Amino acid sequence: MLALAPVWPVTAEPLFGLPLVCPKGSECPIQQFVDLDPGSGARDPWCGTKTYDGHKGTDFRVLSMQDVARGVDVVAMADGVVKAARDGMADRLVSTDEDRQAVSSRECGNGLILDHGGGFETQYCHMRRGSLRLAPGAKVRKGDMLGLVGASGMAQFPHIHVTLRRNGKVTDPYTGLEPGQACAAHDAGAGASGLLDADAMAAFAAPDRPTVLSTGFAGGPVSGRQLVESGPPKPPGIRSQALVGYIWAINLAKGDSFSLRIEKDGQVFSQQTTQPLDRSKAVYVAYAGKKGSPAAGHYRLETAIIRQGEKILVRSVELDVE
């Protein structure tokens, strides 16, 4: 008589989703990836520069503190149990040594850790003060709301930082790589060993390309600080002191440049191409235009990021000044 051995169910590794629900019509790109260089250098999972030394997670940003005020949901990337949580830290953008000292040893800010079983856990950082909904021991399902995106702790821009750990080791969710391992190639199979579901994989569609956060018109010079605090400026009118076009982008490579062309009623109003960047830039703002109150008319702005002589990203916007 043949004895059959019992067959035990195999528990598959979880597939993780996105950690936030991006508002329709907005941008929530990935600003920085896991640093795979175990030494003093830094390299992202594709041997690029979209990270910094010692970065242990993936940063999904929102545009500005105005988005923080409106509220952007942070959600569980997979089923799990709340392992630890902290709330009560203020939301403020870090820019000075005093700011950094104020959050020393609490760089994660408000956040929590989810235990997903099987040696997996995710840690969520920089959440908005007062938004955390769950206490340690609470069970969550994938997609359940955990709180809101904020800028608590060591945050220079509003975002949700997520660290994925597998058996205690930091792991890049897209490639499945750990610090110290060789980075992946830029090809269709780069995420084959990753741990993300299809929707999350789509957010990493072009990890070697920059992202345009915003492009538009303004009534004067535009700065990165202004944009991250207040969002895109109001468009100029006939009483404005200038009319300029701007482009706000992240994750630029050394040698990238910008072109900004403004037409008024079909004729060139302003045109400029910037000098190539002397090094990679995590965030960059370029603008061009003319001083003085703009005349009434129809204006069209075309901005482009140029890499090795090719326009790799082009955006256009139109404005009627009356």
Side-chain angles (χ1 to χ4, degrees):
M1 191 171 176
L2 182 63
L4 297 177
V7 178
W8 301 105
V10 176
T11 302
E13 290 185 339
L15 286 179
F16 294 87
L18 293 173
L20 80 173
V21 180
C22 192
K24 283 188 177 181
S26 187
E27 290 279 351
C28 300
I30 297 161
Q31 175 81 62
Q32 290 155 334
F33 293 90
V34 174
D35 174 22
L36 293 187
D37 189 329
S40 58
R43 69 174 186 270
D44 68 30
W46 300 273
C47 299
T49 60
K50 294 183 178 181
T51 188
Y52 60 85
D53 186 25
H55 192 234
K56 298 179 180 180
T58 307
D59 292 343
F60 293 78
R61 71 169 294 155
V62 295
L63 289 188
S64 73
M65 294 301 287
Q66 295 301 309
D67 295 291
V68 172
R70 285 188 287 267
V72 177
D73 291 356
V74 174
V75 298
M77 296 174 71
D79 298 352
V81 178
V82 179
K83 184 177 178 180
R86 176 174 61 206
D87 201 345
M89 293 182 66
D91 294 280
R92 65 174 185 176
L93 298 175
V94 170
S95 61
T96 67
D97 288 339
E98 183 180 357
D99 293 337
R100 295 179 182 89
Q101 291 172 4
V103 297
S104 178
S105 77
R106 299 179 299 162
E107 287 85 357
C108 180
N110 306 318
L112 49 77
I113 298 173
L114 294 183
D115 184 347
H116 304 286
F120 288 94
E121 67 178 27
T122 48
Q123 181 174 359
Y124 306 75
C125 296
H126 313 306
M127 294 170 68
R128 197 174 92 179
R129 180 167 61 181
S131 74
L132 273 71
R133 293 188 162 196
L134 303 169
K139 295 181 179 180
V140 298
R141 302 290 290 179
K142 182 177 181 178
D144 283 354
M145 183 178 175
L146 304 176
L148 299 171
V149 174
S152 57
M154 188 69 76
Q156 294 179 305
F157 55 93
H159 66 288
I160 184 70
H161 165 110
V162 179
T163 295
L164 171 65
R165 286 183 282 266
R166 176 168 49 191
N167 298 321
K169 295 182 179 180
V170 172
T171 304
D172 171 59
Y174 184 90
T175 60
L177 296 173
E178 299 172 2
Q181 295 180 330
C183 41
H186 289 285
D187 58 33
S193 300
L195 298 162
L196 297 175
D197 64 22
D199 288 341
M201 289 278 281
F204 294 78
D208 59 332
R209 292 292 180 106
T211 298
V212 176
L213 297 181
S214 176
T215 185
F217 292 95
V222 182
S223 71
R225 184 72 183 185
Q226 167 195 342
L227 290 168
V228 77
E229 287 181 347
S230 304
K234 293 181 179 180
I238 57 174
R239 293 183 177 83
S240 299
Q241 297 181 353
L243 185 145
V244 303
Y246 75 91
I247 179 172
W248 180 25
I250 62 172
N251 292 324
L252 288 311
K254 180 180 179 180
D256 287 350
S257 59
F258 301 85
S259 67
L260 300 98
R261 176 187 173 94
I262 301 175
E263 295 179 355
K264 177 183 179 294
D265 299 327
Q267 301 297 315
V268 175
F269 173 82
S270 172
Q271 186 168 338
Q272 179 178 329
T273 299
T274 68
Q275 291 296 315
L277 297 176
D278 60 357
R279 58 187 176 86
S280 298
K281 299 280 188 179
V283 184
Y284 197 83
V285 177
Y287 64 89
K290 290 184 178 181
K291 293 181 179 180
S293 299
H298 181 76
Y299 294 82
R300 181 180 183 273
L301 165 69
E302 180 184 282
T303 61
I305 299 175
I306 303 170
R307 179 171 292 176
Q308 298 178 346
E310 176 188 357
K311 291 182 178 181
I312 60 171
L313 282 175
V314 179
R315 298 286 186 273
S316 62
V317 64
E318 299 185 11
L319 171 70
D320 288 311
V321 175
E322 299 174 344

